[in-house]
Amino acid sequence: MKYRTFGAILGLMLCGCIQESSIEINDAVFTPLKYEATAPSYDPATEYRNPILPGFYPDPSICRAGEDFYLVNSTFQYFPGLMVWHSTDLVHWESCGAVLATDDAVSFTDHPMLFGLWAPHISYNPHNRKFYVVCTQVGGGIGNFFATCDDPREGHWDGPYRLPEVQGIDPSLFFEEDGRACIITATSPETAGSPVRYPGEGGILMWDFDWKNGVTTGGPRILARGGVHPEDHPASLEGGHIYKVDGRYYLMCAEGGTEAGHSEVIFSANRLEGPYTACPINPILTQRALAPGRPYPVSCTGHADLVCTAGGDWYAVFLGCRPYEGEEYFNTGRETFLLPVHWRDGQPVILEAGEPVPTVVKKDKGLLALAAKYPSSGFDGFLPEPLWSAEGLAPFALSVRGDVRDRLQFEADGRMHLACSGISLSDYARPSAVFERITGTVFTASTILSFSPEGDHEAGLVCWQDDDHYMKLTRRLDSLGRPVLRLEERSSAPREKFEGFYMTRPEASIQYSTDLILSAKEARNRLLLRVESDEEARIQFSYASIPEGKNPRAPRFRPVGEPLDGSHLSSRHCGGFQGAMIGVYAY
Ligand code: 6LW
């Protein structure tokens, strides 16, 4: 597909870091992508910031083994699948690989980005001392499955093992003290043979799980249906998790759908099989009735999981969004938040009714004790390390619908070669692109590109939400063969309402395109590409020409095109469950 020149091969052989056979003249070469988002200031000794994992980290699930906490999120059609985090103080998290970290482990489909790996659940089985992640691949693929591991910090997971009898989404496991176990999911009561009482009625269904043989042995049985006030016909009872506290069983679920009406509710029972009845205080978390225009709003909160520390303190992780307009306009997707849990009237409460989720939180006694015992630092999604280095991609790097590492090469100075693939960003395929999450409305990102395009090849910087919504600034040739920087936006009309789940691909097209013709000197130089987003999510791309061998401290940036409307990357506009990304791309 590409050409080789003696000069290119010689140059790279001299650098000595890349195999001669891998050099392609049409590779784009990028310096490590630097990214930074504006975040509230806080005192790390006494406070922490919410979200604890900013950007696209939805549907968090957490567990504890001894004094170690582990957390996992949905990754949809992104690779690697189901990244796992470790912490000792609940506030600082370090990545420890992913459950589905090779192309053999999971095959992605050519469906929209909102399909794929939804709402995993992580748990520890004290009977065989193994960790379990159970999850659903939605839209083709393997459906419900689980994977196991002896130590998530080693990053090796066995599986996935399919669970073909288990219907529905949002599976979670519960291990009883006596060795019994069950899997629960969210699906229609009809799956258990019971007609729905109103259209869209959801249910939490249970299957018995034989963990020794990795199979279900009984079920399904309905544990809960509708919601805590079924007479109101609530939507989307989902994300169910079971806890046993002082001999009583608690079934905690999300209710109302993952959009602005999202909430978390709780039921309890004397027996694992139920009957479960709604606890007196419900919902135990929601932001849906809060005043619009409040400062630092957090919206759409729900899909929580609880954990109890070795010291007996309870905390919840849950998803929430940080809108820049109304409740629904955010580009950062659904993020992972943490709050202490209070027990009142024999039930847990995550947040009292009417209280806003704080974005800077005073550490309570339990968190201060953990911090004192385990002084730690962790990943900072607002100011992450560069997206790659000489060692390869950072652990938080994502690619679309599978592994692209066979198209990457890294030099000792950290530069990354990205092979042009001829796969575009809108092909519902696996483009040559590497992304990280956009973690704030106000952000900046930059990289220096060396690239000599031929034909219709292009390479550059991309802000991406999905195959139909992205903005890119690429170095390429125009139709007359002149060297240009092209700014292009692909988008569709906004969705009529905020809908996480949709079935039809929107009508999308190039909504904005402008070429900036490069001078002969600029075309020979390296190009520093930058993108910035302001409080109103206006996205401005710019560039500076950097002569070989020079690294000016204050490069003179020149804007390319107009500021683009960043709301075109929002979940409200695009639909879907993901968050927007920033990254590099080569066609
Ligand atoms: C997930 C469901 C949800 O399966 O969104 O917010 C879905 N909650 O529980 C996709 O992440």
Side-chain angles (χ1 to χ4, degrees):
M1 80 187 164
K2 294 158 199 147
Y3 312 88
R4 287 152 201 259
T5 64
F6 179 72
I9 292 173
L10 182 68
L12 289 155
M13 280 168 67
L14 287 178
C15 122
C17 314
I18 301 187
Q19 297 291 311
E20 179 268 329
S21 61
S22 66
I23 308 309
E24 304 285 358
I25 189 166
N26 270 344
D27 284 358
V29 185
F30 296 91
T31 60
L33 184 77
K34 288 187 191 151
Y35 167 88
E36 185 175 350
T38 300
S41 53
Y42 73 118
D43 172 8
T46 57
E47 296 170 327
Y48 70 93
R49 278 186 310 216
N50 257 332
I52 49 168
L53 292 176
F56 165 62
Y57 289 105
D59 310 320
S61 172
I62 191 169
C63 75
R64 177 176 68 82
E67 308 226 323
D68 296 292
F69 301 97
Y70 299 93
L71 189 149
V72 65
N73 304 91
S74 308
T75 46
F76 295 79
Q77 298 273 58
Y78 287 100
F79 179 90
L82 309 179
M83 191 174 161
V84 181
W85 297 88
H86 169 256
S87 175
T88 42
D89 70 355
L90 288 171
V91 167
H92 298 99
W93 293 87
E94 288 290 357
S95 131
C96 49
V99 177
L100 303 171
T102 63
D103 256 343
D104 304 337
V106 60
S107 87
F108 292 90
T109 62
D110 55 1
H111 285 102
M113 292 306 292
L114 76 92
F115 286 79
L117 300 166
W118 282 22
H121 174 259
I122 189 164
S123 53
Y124 178 67
N125 180 359
H127 307 295
N128 62 1
R129 302 211 178 116
K130 280 189 187 293
F131 292 84
Y132 284 70
V133 163
V134 58
C135 182
T136 321
Q137 187 179 16
V138 174
I142 56 174
N144 282 303
F145 65 89
F146 70 97
T148 63
C149 155
D150 294 322
D151 183 354
R153 280 167 299 181
E154 282 172 11
H156 174 77
W157 288 80
D158 295 314
Y161 304 108
R162 296 177 74 147
L163 292 163
E165 313 76 29
V166 177
Q167 307 295 305
I169 58 165
D170 299 358
S172 73
L173 277 166
F174 175 73
F175 296 99
E176 261 289 23
E177 288 136 2
D178 63 6
R180 285 183 303 150
C182 68
I183 295 182
I184 60 171
T185 68
T187 182
S188 166
E190 281 168 354
T191 307
S194 176
V196 289
R197 294 176 185 157
Y198 60 90
E201 184 192 29
I204 301 293
L205 273 63
M206 173 201 259
W207 282 261
D208 303 316
F209 180 58
D210 168 3
W211 51 264
K212 286 186 184 141
N213 295 300
V215 292
T216 55
T217 50
R221 187 181 303 120
I222 298 174
L223 291 194
R225 58 193 297 166
V228 286
H229 292 292
E231 64 284 6
D232 297 339
H233 295 183
S236 306
L237 188 67
E238 58 193 14
H241 299 135
I242 295 177
Y243 312 91
K244 188 175 183 184
V245 185
D246 295 337
R248 195 159 178 81
Y249 297 88
Y250 292 85
L251 171 63
M252 191 176 79
C253 311
E255 197 198 280
T258 196
E259 296 88 2
H262 209 195
S263 69
E264 193 70 14
V265 297
I266 194 152
F267 306 79
S268 72
N270 288 327
R271 295 169 58 240
L272 176 59
E273 296 77 12
Y276 284 86
T277 51
C279 292
I281 306 163
N282 267 310
I284 57 172
L285 168 71
T286 189
Q287 300 282 277
R288 69 184 161 217
L290 297 194
R294 60 194 181 279
Y296 308 110
V298 174
S299 64
C300 310
T301 51
H303 200 110
D305 197 6
L306 303 180
V307 70
C308 182
T309 67
D313 300 302
W314 286 82
Y315 296 88
V317 287
F318 56 90
L319 76 77
C321 304
R322 288 174 296 148
Y324 47 81
E325 192 190 316
E327 303 291 301
E328 300 179 342
Y329 279 94
F330 46 82
N331 297 2
T332 35
R334 301 172 304 156
E335 317 178 271
T336 295
F337 289 70
L338 173 83
L339 280 179
V341 169
H342 305 284
W343 285 77
R344 192 148 69 78
D345 300 339
Q347 68 160 101
V349 177
I350 302 173
L351 199 62
E352 297 294 337
E355 286 287 315
V357 172
T359 51
V360 173
V361 192
K362 280 254 170 276
K363 286 181 187 168
D364 67 357
K365 263 194 200 157
L367 291 181
L368 288 171
L370 289 179
K373 192 162 180 193
Y374 299 105
S376 49
S377 59
F379 171 71
D380 180 353
F382 296 109
L383 184 57
E385 65 199 61
L387 187 54
W388 59 85
S389 67
E391 279 78 54
L393 292 175
F396 53 88
L398 295 169
S399 54
V400 169
R401 299 188 184 90
D403 198 355
V404 296
R405 281 173 295 181
D406 58 352
R407 302 182 208 163
L408 311 177
Q409 296 283 336
F410 297 91
E411 296 199 37
D413 63 4
R415 285 185 301 160
M416 180 178 79
H417 290 239
L418 178 58
C420 293
S421 64
I423 299 167
S424 94
L425 288 169
S426 30
D427 285 349
Y428 269 41
R430 190 187 300 191
S432 282
V434 177
F435 290 119
E436 66 185 287
R437 292 139 176 104
I438 289 178
T439 57
T441 305
V442 181
F443 72 85
T444 170
S446 61
T447 178
I448 300 174
L449 169 67
S450 309
F451 185 47
S452 305
E454 297 187 349
D456 60 356
H457 289 285
E458 61 173 340
L461 203 52
V462 187
C463 292
W464 141 286
Q465 170 66 259
D466 60 30
D467 307 64
D468 294 311
H469 305 93
Y470 55 83
M471 300 159 181
K472 62 182 163 71
L473 176 67
T474 56
R475 167 86 166 82
R476 57 172 302 140
L477 303 177
D478 71 4
S479 56
L480 301 174
R482 293 174 298 188
V484 297
L485 271 175
R486 178 169 297 171
L487 176 64
E488 208 167 72
E489 180 190 352
R490 181 178 166 89
S491 192
S492 65
R495 292 194 172 269
E496 276 171 24
K497 60 178 180 58
F498 183 22
E499 48 185 338
F501 188 71
Y502 61 84
M503 288 301 283
T504 49
R505 186 173 184 178
E507 294 274 325
S509 57
I510 303 301
Q511 306 271 328
Y512 180 90
S513 181
T514 188
D515 281 356
L516 187 149
I517 299 172
L518 297 168
S519 68
K521 193 169 145 211
E522 285 180 317
R524 279 195 306 276
N525 283 347
R526 298 172 301 152
L527 297 174
L528 172 54
L529 307 180
R530 185 176 72 178
V531 58
E532 292 169 301
S533 169
D534 68 12
E535 307 80 39
E536 288 166 43
R538 282 178 303 219
I539 296 185
Q540 177 72 61
F541 286 85
S542 55
Y543 83 106
S545 160
I546 310 282
E548 202 58 52
K550 291 198 180 157
N551 282 312
R553 275 224 197 115
R556 292 226 317 269
F557 281 98
R558 225 178 123 186
V560 185
E562 303 291 315
L564 299 176
D565 182 350
S567 76
H568 295 179
L569 297 175
S570 67
S571 302
R572 171 66 183 78
H573 183 100
C574 309
F577 293 122
Q578 317 84 254
M581 303 281 154
I582 170 80
V584 295
Y585 161 64
Y587 174 83

